[in-house]
């Protein structure tokens, strides 16, 4: 099994004041094809962990290796490059630009990774098809339902064919039927090999993972 993510004794302390030990020294390995769900109370450190995994934030101590290379000490530019090629993010809010078409929104993921416009367009069309919105390329996000908007956001995350899809409460803004459809999409993406890490408050959602990590006061544990 190839590991995608290896965290070794990674911690995150927000300097404050007051100082917050948001993530105590934690080690975890995520393998290719894993669907890891992360649960825990509000403020327990879930987003802190996900932000470190996504290179949006740096650990205070410990080492992080992504696809076998150490990314702990990369410069800001290098981190941005790795984010653009290896990481796909999906958040609770869709963060779509209202004045841009769905296709343009998905293409925005390639803005900083040197992809030609033509290839970017192809990748974006492919990703829209993968989330079931192949016919929606020229629509504006404001003309879509919440579930469809989240699909566009997922397409944007998938367009660069990332090593891992990082999702922070991706169904948090959706009604239960729409949430179920989005979860089915994550199941489908994972079944075709995509590595997924997903934060949720909902035990039923968490059960979609083949592994569940629990956060409590910054301490990570795993039940199997
Ligand atoms: N930028 C920051 N500066 C200082 N403290 C922070 C910062 N971001 C988060 N924290 C604190 O770190 C702790 C963990 O926050 P985090 O956002 O990781 O929690 P969470 O588990 O994602 O919570 P929620 O379920 O509410 O999203 C909290 O005590 C929070 O107040
Ligand atoms: Mg959070």
């Amino acid at each position: 099994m190839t590991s995608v993510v290896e965290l070794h004794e990674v911690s995150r302390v927000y300097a404050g004041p007051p100082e917050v030990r948001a993530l105590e020294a934690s080690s975890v390995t995520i393998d290719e094809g894993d669907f890891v769900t992360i649960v825990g109370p509000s403020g327990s450190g879930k987003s802190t962990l996900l932000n470190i995994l996504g290179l949006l934030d740096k650990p205070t101590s410990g080492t992080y290796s992504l696809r076998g290379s150490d990314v702990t000490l990369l410069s800001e530019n290098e981190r941005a490059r790795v984010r653009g090629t290896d990481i796909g993010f999906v958040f609770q809010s869709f963060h779509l630009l209202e004045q841009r078409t769905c296709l343009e929104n998905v293409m925005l993921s390639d803005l900083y990774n040197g992809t030609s416009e033509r290839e970017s367009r192809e990748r974006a069309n492919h990703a829209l098809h993968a989330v079931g919105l192949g016919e929606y390329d020229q629509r504006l996000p404001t003309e879509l339902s919440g579930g469809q908007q989240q699909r566009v956001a997922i397409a944007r995350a998938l367009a660069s064919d990332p090593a891992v899809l990082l999702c922070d409460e991706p169904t948090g803004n959706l009604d239960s039927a729409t949430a179920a459809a989005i979860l089915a999409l994550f199941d489908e993406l994972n079944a075709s090999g995509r590595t997924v890490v997903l934060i949720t408050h909902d035990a039923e959602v968490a059960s979609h993972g083949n592994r569940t990590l629990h956060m409590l006061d910054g301490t990570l544990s795993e039940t199997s």
Side-chain angles (χ1 to χ4, degrees):
M1 192 75 77
T2 322
S3 67
V4 178
V5 161
E6 283 178 48
L7 293 186
H8 182 70
E9 297 289 308
V10 163
S11 74
R12 179 66 167 102
V13 180
Y14 295 110
E19 183 184 280
V20 178
R21 305 188 59 84
L23 181 64
E24 300 288 352
S26 304
S27 300
V28 67
T29 299
I30 297 172
D31 290 324
E32 209 174 295
D34 264 349
F35 189 159
V36 177
T37 49
I38 303 176
V39 296
S42 182
S44 60
K46 303 181 299 297
S47 295
T48 298
L49 173 63
L50 204 79
N51 291 343
I52 287 174
L53 291 177
L55 299 176
L56 290 173
D57 191 17
K58 281 185 187 172
T60 306
S61 65
T63 56
Y64 176 14
S65 97
L66 179 64
R67 293 177 56 210
S69 63
D70 191 335
V71 293
T72 322
L73 297 174
L74 295 183
S75 69
E76 267 324 305
N77 281 343
E78 290 166 326
R79 294 157 65 77
R81 181 185 53 76
V82 175
R83 272 200 304 275
T85 55
D86 286 339
I87 308 281
F89 288 104
V90 181
F91 298 101
Q92 180 166 349
S93 352
F94 319 127
H95 298 298
L96 299 173
L97 298 183
E98 292 187 358
Q99 323 274 21
R100 303 294 182 92
T101 64
C102 292
L103 186 75
E104 288 168 341
N105 267 282
V106 176
M107 287 174 68
L108 283 173
S109 66
D110 282 332
L111 206 54
Y112 301 109
N113 66 15
T115 311
S116 72
E117 180 171 342
R118 182 181 163 173
E119 194 194 337
S120 179
R121 188 173 294 275
E122 251 169 52
R123 283 157 47 141
N125 269 310
H126 184 78
L128 280 172
H129 273 98
V131 301
L133 291 181
E135 311 299 312
Y136 286 71
D137 54 334
Q138 296 309 320
R139 299 273 282 271
L140 294 173
T142 47
E143 301 167 342
L144 304 184
S145 70
Q148 289 169 332
Q149 290 184 52
Q150 189 62 306
R151 283 174 192 272
V152 175
I154 295 169
R156 182 182 54 197
L158 287 173
S160 64
D161 191 20
V164 59
L165 202 53
L166 301 177
C167 315
D168 198 341
E169 292 275 358
T171 57
N173 274 347
L174 305 173
D175 65 73
S176 57
T178 309
I182 291 293
L183 268 174
L185 174 60
F186 285 121
D187 286 340
E188 188 188 310
L189 293 169
N190 177 246
S192 57
R194 184 76 53 188
T195 309
V196 179
V197 179
L198 187 152
I199 293 175
T200 179
H201 277 109
D202 182 324
E204 204 285 314
V205 174
S207 72
H208 284 250
N210 65 311
R211 301 169 60 188
T212 300
L213 304 178
H214 296 258
M215 285 291 297
L216 191 61
D217 291 340
T219 300
L220 194 62
S221 61
E222 179 163 6
T223 50
S224 48

